[in-house]
Each structure stands twice: as structure tokens, then as C-alpha cells.
Amino acid sequence: MLYLYLIIAALVVLCIPYIRVICKRIQLLSKLEKLCKVSYSFLDMFLPTRFSRGFVIDDKYTVHIFTAYKRSEKIYLLPESWRVEKRLRMVGVITIGTQSWYTEYRSYPDYIKEKADNKLLLFNPAPHSIYDGDKNKIFGLNEGDKILGMEIVTASKLIEKIIKKQESTTR
């Protein structure tokens, strides 16, 4: 019985980053639902992937969400592919506290490559650092910068932008 409790505890600890992502996503979509007409699917809420298929806000913006499972990850957005540097902790008798980096390369999904107006890239939750490798130079990306034809936005700024648009249309 003790082994069962240890296995359950280990699974819960391993799932903490995914639980965090799902909670952040639920908070964001519930706020957006209160503010405006949002069309999203069940999978957008409970199936966090690196790049979501996107949802539409008030028939104006298409928002793709990029998910960082852990804040310590470094994300490199390159012209043809993207990569993630993950910090791995080695635990053992000799390697207590030793850290190493693991790099994972991936290609962009087709729905990210499509060109469209008013596409936003939302980092929710945001990674520790994001780099643009498009110009053969790696530098940090900030809100308002464009990458892959999409404007980068954070959740709080997206909500502010929607509130300002609603206030300007009611005047």
C-alpha cells in the first residue's frame, strides 16, 4: 500500500507543470468569455499543446497560444523551426544537484505558417526567455514585436486591448 501512495505522489509531482498550464488556460479563457464573444473549442482549454490551433475573439483577432510548460525553458523561434532548451536535473548518488541542458527541435504546425491579418501570439504561461533567430541574431522578444507574421501579446495586455476597444466603441 505504501508503494501505491508513493507512485501516486510521484505522478502528482510530475503533472504539476501540466496542471499549472491548464489552470492558466482556464483563467484566461474564462476572463475572455466574460469580456467578449470568444469562440474556442474544448481542446483549447483542456489540451495544452505548444502552439494551440487558435481561437477567435469578436471576429477580429485570431489568437494562437504558445505554452511553456516550465518557466525555466528557453524558447528559440527560428525561421523554419523552433527549439526548446530544457533544464534537466540529475538525481543520483553521485550527481545530486547536477544540472544539464537538453535541446528539443520541432517544426512549426501548418496553421501557424498561414498568413492572415490580426493574428496574435499569446504566451500563456510565458517562458523564461524567448529568442528570435529570424535575423541571424538572437535577441529577446518583447510584447508588440512581430514573429512569424504574428504580434506577440501577453494575457493582461490582450484583455486591456479588448477593454479599450469596447470602451471606444461605446462612446
Side-chain angles (χ1 to χ4, degrees):
M1 193 61 137
L2 177 65
Y3 292 120
L4 180 64
Y5 291 131
L6 290 175
I7 291 171
I8 291 172
L11 287 174
V12 168
V13 168
L14 290 173
C15 290
I16 286 175
Y18 301 105
I19 293 169
R20 179 178 150 266
V21 167
I22 290 171
C23 289
K24 288 281 191 182
R25 184 75 49 89
I26 290 171
Q27 288 174 350
L28 172 69
L29 291 176
S30 65
K31 283 180 187 176
L32 289 175
E33 201 170 40
K34 289 177 187 175
L35 285 174
C36 57
K37 186 176 98 180
V38 177
S39 59
Y40 61 89
S41 69
F42 180 79
L43 294 178
D44 284 329
M45 188 176 287
F46 291 107
L47 185 63
T49 56
R50 289 287 183 182
F51 284 99
S52 73
R53 288 209 172 269
F55 57 91
V56 179
I57 298 176
D58 287 337
D59 299 329
K60 294 178 185 173
Y61 300 107
T62 301
V63 181
H64 294 282
I65 300 177
F66 183 89
T67 300
Y69 293 119
K70 294 183 181 178
R71 290 179 197 251
S72 63
E73 294 177 344
K74 292 180 182 177
I75 310 296
Y76 294 88
L77 299 174
L78 306 170
E80 296 300 319
S81 65
W82 58 280
R83 72 178 193 204
V84 180
E85 282 187 3
K86 299 178 180 183
R87 185 181 302 160
L88 298 176
R89 292 210 167 126
M90 308 299 226
V91 179
V93 177
I94 299 173
T95 60
I96 294 176
T98 304
Q99 296 181 4
S100 66
W101 290 92
Y102 164 73
T103 304
E104 172 183 325
Y105 293 92
R106 295 195 177 172
S107 62
Y108 293 109
D110 292 335
Y111 51 85
I112 293 295
K113 295 177 185 177
E114 295 172 358
K115 302 290 183 206
D117 293 335
N118 294 327
K119 279 178 76 173
L120 302 173
L121 182 60
L122 172 69
F123 291 96
N124 181 267
H128 178 264
S129 52
I130 308 157
Y131 298 99
D132 180 7
D134 198 16
K135 299 170 179 73
N136 276 342
K137 191 178 188 185
I138 295 178
F139 57 91
L141 290 173
N142 297 314
E143 185 167 2
D145 291 347
K146 289 211 171 224
I147 185 82
L148 305 170
M150 295 180 279
E151 180 184 344
I152 294 177
V153 68
T154 60
S156 58
K157 293 294 181 180
L158 177 65
I159 291 171
E160 279 180 25
K161 186 184 278 193
I162 292 169
I163 290 172
K164 285 180 183 177
K165 287 235 187 233
Q166 287 177 349
E167 287 174 355
S168 67
T169 56
T170 56
R171 289 182 185 176

